[in-house]
Amino acid sequence: MLEQLVGDSQALDRAIAGEELSYKDGLELMNYDNQHILAAVADNSRKKLVGDTVTFAASYYMNYTNVCAASCQMCAFYRKDGADDAYTLTSQEIEQRVGIAKQMGATEVHIVGGFHPTLPLEYYEDMMKVIKKNHPQLNIKALTAAEIFFLSKLTKNSTKEILSRLKDAGLDSMPGGGAELFHPDIRDKIVRGKCTGQQWLDVIEEAHNMGIQSNVTMLYGHIEKPEHIIDHLIKIRELQKKTKGFITLIPLKFSLDNTELEQQHLVNNECSSLYDLKIIALSRLMLANVLNNISVYWVAYGKKLAQVALSNGGSDLVGTAFSEEIYRAAGKPTASSIEELATMVKEIGRSPAQRNTHFGILQEF
C-alpha cells in the first residue's frame, strides 16, 4: 500500500525497504512536498522498530548556573558574570532542589548550565558526589559534551580526564545539548565561544567508549539549509555505528524570543509546524537502522503539535521537564506531570509508558 502512494520517490522506496538512506536521499526528502505520505512512511518505520508504545521519563531539570563565557546568537538563557540576574547554585541549593525532584517522583536529574568562567572541576565533582550519596537511585544525567570541552580548556585537563573524574563522582549519563548543528558553515553563525561540531562528536565518542551513554540533539528552524540537517543526521548515524552510545535523538525547535538572531532580524518567525513534522519524520528515516528512539520535545512544540509529531515517526516525549529554565527563558511553558503526558498519549490511541534514562520501562498506563 505505501509503495503505491510514494510515486516516483526513490528515497521513500528505499526507506520502505529498510535500506540506509544516502545524503542524496535525505536532500530529496527535505524537499518532498507531501507531508502526509512522508509521515506515513516514517510512522511505518517507527511501528516496525518500537511498536505503539510512547515513552517518557520523570525528569527534573536543574540549571546550576546561567553564567556563560559564550554568547550564542540562538540562546536566551545565558548571562554574563556580574549581571543582576546571574546566578550559580550553592551545594545547599543543589541538594534542596534534588530533594524536591525526588519528592516529585523524578528518576533522573538533568543537569546543564552555562560555561562558568571560574568554577573549578571540584564544584562539579562535589555536586555529583552529594547527589549520589543522598539519592543513589537517581540517574545523574549531567553536562553536555560542550560543557566538558569547556571544562577541559578551563582546567587544562584532557576531556578524557574530566569524564573519568566525573564518572567516579557519580555521573551516569549525559544530555545531548550543545550539538546544535555540526556543519561549520552554519554552526559559526548560531554559536559563539562553543566547541566545534567535530569537537562535540569527539568528546561524546570518548564518553561512549567509557560506558557513559548520552542523548543527542539537533537544533533546527533558524537559518539552516537542508544540507545542514542531513549532514548532522549522517554524522550522528556514523558515530552511532561505532559506539552504539546514543540513547535517543531529540530534535530541538529553535525558540525565537529574546535571542540575538531575533534582535538582529536574522530570524523573524519560528518555523512552521509542517517543517517540525518533516524534521521528525526525516530523523526517523535517516536513523532507522541505528537508533530506535526519536524524541518529541513537547516543551518546544506544545502538547497538541507534539501529539501530531508522534504520528510522524516520533516515539518518545522526553520527560516531564520539572523546573526547565532554558526554553522558559525564550517564552515557553515548561512543566507537565506524568499523568498529563500519559493522557496525551492515550488521546492519540497509543500506549503510554514511563521509562528510565536508558529506556527501560518502569510502568505502563
Side-chain angles (χ1 to χ4, degrees):
M1 180 64 178
L2 278 177
E3 289 86 350
Q4 296 171 349
L5 290 174
V6 301
D8 59 356
S9 172
Q10 294 182 357
L12 287 180
D13 282 338
R14 285 161 52 77
I16 292 168
E19 298 176 23
E20 181 175 280
L21 300 186
S22 67
Y23 182 86
K24 181 181 176 182
D25 291 330
L27 288 180
E28 179 190 324
L29 296 183
M30 280 293 289
N31 293 304
Y32 191 74
D33 60 3
N34 192 322
Q35 182 58 36
H36 295 295
I37 294 175
L38 184 62
V41 176
D43 214 45
N44 182 61
S45 175
R46 181 271 306 165
K47 192 175 182 72
K48 286 181 179 178
L49 288 167
V50 297
D52 284 330
T53 298
V54 176
T55 50
F56 48 84
S59 182
Y60 186 90
Y61 282 45
M62 185 172 70
N63 302 108
Y64 58 90
T65 186
N66 64 353
V67 175
C68 192
S71 49
C72 294
Q73 300 94 312
M74 50 73 183
C75 182
F77 176 70
Y78 78 88
R79 298 293 184 271
K80 291 305 176 185
D81 202 7
D84 290 343
D85 54 350
Y87 73 86
T88 300
L89 298 181
T90 65
S91 296
Q92 185 177 11
E93 288 170 329
I94 288 169
E95 170 54 25
Q96 183 180 32
R97 292 196 183 196
V98 175
I100 293 170
K102 187 66 173 59
Q103 291 174 6
M104 296 174 80
T107 61
E108 67 175 26
V109 56
H110 176 120
I111 304 171
V112 295
F115 299 164
H116 199 292
T118 61
L119 287 179
L121 181 56
E122 289 76 15
Y123 171 89
Y124 304 91
E125 290 179 299
D126 292 345
M127 173 201 301
M128 293 179 194
K129 286 175 181 176
V130 167
I131 294 171
K132 192 56 72 174
K133 177 183 177 182
N134 295 336
H135 310 279
Q137 71 283 7
L138 278 180
N139 184 288
I140 300 177
K141 185 173 73 177
L143 304 189
T144 66
E147 288 170 275
I148 298 295
F149 185 85
F150 174 79
L151 273 174
S152 171
K153 296 301 180 186
L154 181 69
T155 65
K156 297 180 171 55
N157 290 296
S158 68
T159 52
K160 188 172 183 179
E161 173 69 13
I162 299 283
L163 287 165
S164 178
R165 286 177 60 173
L166 292 178
K167 185 179 180 183
D168 288 344
L171 178 66
D172 295 305
S173 59
M174 291 172 65
E180 323 305 2
L181 285 170
F182 296 135
H183 198 292
D185 287 353
I186 193 67
R187 191 177 185 85
D188 293 345
K189 296 176 182 177
I190 61 172
V191 301
R192 184 187 297 115
K194 189 177 285 187
C195 63
T196 67
Q198 189 56 53
Q199 287 165 339
W200 190 99
L201 289 163
D202 291 343
V203 171
I204 216 70
E205 183 174 359
E206 283 185 331
H208 291 177
N209 289 337
M210 295 170 65
I212 304 169
Q213 290 189 304
S214 76
N215 296 339
V216 58
T217 59
M218 175 172 67
L219 185 73
Y220 71 90
H222 39 86
I223 57 174
E224 81 277 3
K225 296 178 181 178
E227 53 263 37
H228 301 133
I229 295 291
I230 304 307
D231 173 80
H232 193 86
L233 292 171
I234 288 177
K235 283 174 177 168
I236 291 170
R237 187 172 72 193
E238 293 310 303
L239 183 54
Q240 181 70 347
K241 288 179 184 178
K242 289 174 66 177
T243 68
K244 297 181 174 58
F246 288 128
I247 303 168
T248 187
L249 166 68
I250 310 172
L252 294 177
K253 179 187 179 83
F254 172 65
S255 193
L256 180 66
D257 290 355
N258 305 319
T259 65
E260 187 177 317
L261 290 177
E262 178 195 36
Q263 292 159 3
Q264 294 183 353
H265 302 291
L266 294 171
V267 183
N268 294 316
N269 300 287
E270 293 185 3
C271 67
S272 71
S273 296
L274 276 177
Y275 189 70
D276 294 325
L277 299 177
K278 175 170 282 190
I279 292 295
I280 293 293
L282 185 72
S283 298
R284 168 62 68 189
L285 295 176
M286 291 297 295
L287 300 178
N289 297 318
V290 298
L291 187 60
N292 285 348
N293 307 307
I294 303 296
S295 293
V296 173
Y297 195 37
W298 64 267
V299 168
Y301 290 169
K303 292 177 181 178
K304 293 301 182 184
L305 181 59
Q307 289 176 311
V308 182
L310 289 172
S311 298
N312 281 251
S315 56
D316 178 73
L317 285 171
V318 187
T320 50
F322 299 140
S323 196
E324 200 279 345
E325 295 181 28
I326 293 175
Y327 268 85
R328 187 183 304 167
K332 302 293 185 186
T334 61
S336 190
S337 69
I338 292 169
E339 292 75 19
E340 286 174 310
L341 295 184
T343 298
M344 282 174 62
V345 176
K346 289 177 181 178
E347 285 176 349
I348 60 169
R350 301 267 288 279
S351 303
Q354 183 186 347
R355 62 168 173 86
N356 63 19
T357 304
H358 299 282
F359 279 73
I361 300 301
L362 300 178
Q363 62 173 323
E364 297 176 339
F365 298 86

